[in-house]
Amino acid sequence: MKALRIHAGPRARQHLEQQGLQPADVGVIPAAAGGPKGLILGPMDRFIFGEWLPRSDQPVHLVGASIGAWRMATACLQQSVAAFERLEHDYIHQDYELPPGKKRPTAAHVSERFGQNLEAFYGGRVQEVLSHPRYRLHIVTSRGRHVLGREHALGTPLGYLGAFVTNTVHRKAMGAWLERVVFSSSGAALPFATTDYRTRQVGLSADNFMQALQASCSIPFVLQAVHNIPGAPRGAYWDGGITDYHLHLAYGLPNSGASELIAAQAMSTSASGGKGFKTASEPLRAGAGGIVLYPHFQHRVVPGWLDKGLKWRHKATSALDNMVVLSPDPDWVRRLPNAKLPDRNDFTHYGTDSRARAQAWLTATRASQQLVDEWREWLERPDMGAVQPL
């Protein structure tokens, strides 16, 4: 059974028809939120960043939310293949203490343990990430506004209820409750337009890297919010997947180095009088061009986490015209343990039997090598009959 599905937007499809796909064609790689689902992409990450992409030398923008941010930051490390292998191992074997009579650990415990894991993983190596000669890292977070400006036992659930209701009416209206804050490599322009949703950009540094990455992975009520990240607007920061679950963004690339210089200058001041960030009233735009290569755990690119149940927002738009999505075939997925991808429900399903959960996840990640084998074969002998419209 075939494991890999390939979907392409119209401009990307035209490029594939005429030229196939070379490493030098890629300008952006997004990485979605989705928790353990991202494990299925481990072998693909190791192939793309360890073998295929190094055959080129152009700058590439890496845009990630939640586990996607962790994956893209890992791509920026030296000897990235070994780093990806460690990420997979550490994620699969994570374990948390359950309070007596409870099926879930406390948010405080998960946040503390996760922070320790990030420190163990990136400690002493942050500069490798920030100084990568080719990759421009963009970590997406969600910053609470007004009642969500601080985490609170009563105010936070009410705030997210308000965000849910307003998002149902109009996605952009959710900006009254939460805004997109992107922490970017120094001087890097955003590789997407920001007119779709309230946005700020902040320079990524050694002072805020750990907090920004933890914030991007901080699922509300599962982990605690990260407050007052250095260099960024004050407030509570949560999982980047809330505002940008699958990073359905209007992608484009800077036309020249001048775009990045302008962005660097823009990040030094703010319309609100602070330093280090830029508000959505002055959107950072990028010129068109380049393929957006998207290894994903499904072919639909859902805008925000609260859009999961809003099927009408799951359709492709012109924003994704340059995108190529690589995803597992649903029929192939049904052959994995529990007939699904790994997900957060497995923590509850397996309870304290972390060994059984780890074994199921390992089985899934090992099977996903087939995705790489089929993608490698397509790259060597492009078959447009295997490419479906996005």
Side-chain angles (χ1 to χ4, degrees):
M1 174 180 287
K2 286 286 188 180
L4 179 66
R5 278 191 173 186
I6 305 171
H7 291 80
R11 287 203 297 270
R13 182 180 180 86
Q14 183 180 33
H15 179 96
L16 297 182
E17 289 174 341
Q18 296 174 353
Q19 304 178 44
L21 187 65
Q22 303 300 321
D25 298 331
V26 176
V28 183
I29 298 181
K37 294 184 182 74
L39 291 170
I40 209 74
L41 303 171
M44 189 68 79
D45 286 338
R46 294 194 286 273
F47 169 70
I48 289 175
F49 291 103
E51 180 179 339
W52 188 67
L53 206 54
R55 299 173 192 169
S56 60
D57 58 8
Q58 81 283 6
V60 181
H61 292 261
L62 310 182
V63 186
S66 199
I67 191 174
W70 192 356
R71 288 169 48 219
M72 294 301 95
T74 300
C76 297
L77 290 171
Q78 298 170 13
Q79 300 178 330
S80 62
V81 171
F84 276 122
E85 290 173 345
R86 180 180 173 185
L87 186 159
E88 182 177 294
H89 176 274
D90 290 358
Y91 199 102
I92 287 175
H93 292 91
Q94 62 183 306
D95 193 17
Y96 302 97
E97 299 172 8
L98 299 181
K102 300 292 185 180
K103 293 185 177 181
R104 295 180 181 275
T106 65
H109 175 60
V110 177
S111 288
E112 180 183 17
R113 183 69 62 81
F114 186 67
Q116 292 169 348
N117 290 342
L118 288 183
E119 183 62 41
F121 193 91
Y122 291 104
R125 304 188 68 184
V126 173
Q127 200 56 42
E128 290 180 33
V129 177
L130 301 180
S131 62
H132 195 282
R134 294 183 59 195
Y135 300 152
R136 313 292 191 258
L137 179 64
H138 306 273
I139 296 176
V140 181
T141 68
S142 303
R143 173 180 174 263
R145 304 183 66 231
H146 306 305
V147 70
L148 289 176
R150 297 289 300 178
E151 191 167 28
H152 186 273
L154 179 61
T156 299
L158 289 176
Y160 274 104
L161 176 61
F164 174 81
V165 172
T166 52
N167 179 72
T168 302
V169 176
H170 196 288
R171 170 168 158 75
K172 201 167 186 176
M174 192 176 68
W177 302 90
L178 293 152
E179 65 181 1
R180 173 196 297 142
V181 178
V182 186
F183 292 81
S184 300
S185 297
S186 179
L190 293 177
F192 52 84
T194 60
T195 53
D196 65 318
Y197 191 80
R198 183 182 178 93
T199 302
R200 297 180 190 257
Q201 186 182 24
V202 176
L204 191 60
S205 69
D207 292 333
N208 61 24
F209 172 82
M210 292 293 191
Q211 296 98 317
L213 187 53
Q214 176 150 351
S216 187
C217 298
S218 293
I219 305 166
F221 313 113
V222 178
L223 286 84
Q224 293 177 321
V226 177
H227 289 83
N228 304 332
I229 299 176
R234 293 178 62 82
Y237 289 76
W238 278 281
D239 196 300
I242 302 170
T243 56
D244 295 283
Y245 187 41
H246 294 167
L247 303 160
H248 191 130
L249 302 165
Y251 292 98
L253 294 177
N255 291 318
S256 68
S259 296
E260 296 194 356
L261 177 59
I262 292 170
Q265 294 169 342
M267 285 195 295
S268 67
T269 60
S270 165
S272 62
K275 293 184 177 180
F277 54 90
K278 181 177 177 66
T279 64
S281 60
E282 298 173 330
L284 292 171
R285 293 181 176 274
I291 292 295
V292 180
L293 181 63
Y294 195 174
H296 195 11
F297 48 78
Q298 64 178 52
H299 82 273
R300 298 195 183 278
V301 184
V302 181
W305 190 81
L306 296 176
D307 296 320
K308 289 195 295 182
L310 308 181
K311 301 299 183 183
W312 62 89
R313 293 191 186 164
H314 295 192
K315 297 179 181 179
T317 68
S318 59
L320 310 183
D321 282 358
N322 282 353
M323 181 176 285
V324 176
V325 176
L326 311 177
S327 64
D329 187 295
D331 290 334
W332 177 84
V333 169
R334 283 189 276 273
R335 297 191 172 206
L336 299 178
N338 304 310
K340 65 177 183 62
L341 298 175
D343 62 37
R344 287 195 299 113
N345 292 328
D346 290 337
F347 285 105
T348 303
H349 174 75
Y350 288 100
T352 57
D353 192 355
S354 57
R355 178 176 294 183
R357 172 179 55 77
Q359 185 56 53
W361 287 5
L362 279 168
T363 300
T365 56
R366 288 168 181 164
S368 64
Q369 177 63 38
Q370 185 179 349
L371 299 170
V372 179
D373 296 340
E374 293 179 16
W375 178 232
R376 188 197 304 268
E377 181 180 348
W378 190 95
L379 290 170
E380 293 173 354
R381 292 181 295 276
D383 174 14
M384 293 308 299
V387 180
Q388 302 177 49
L390 181 60

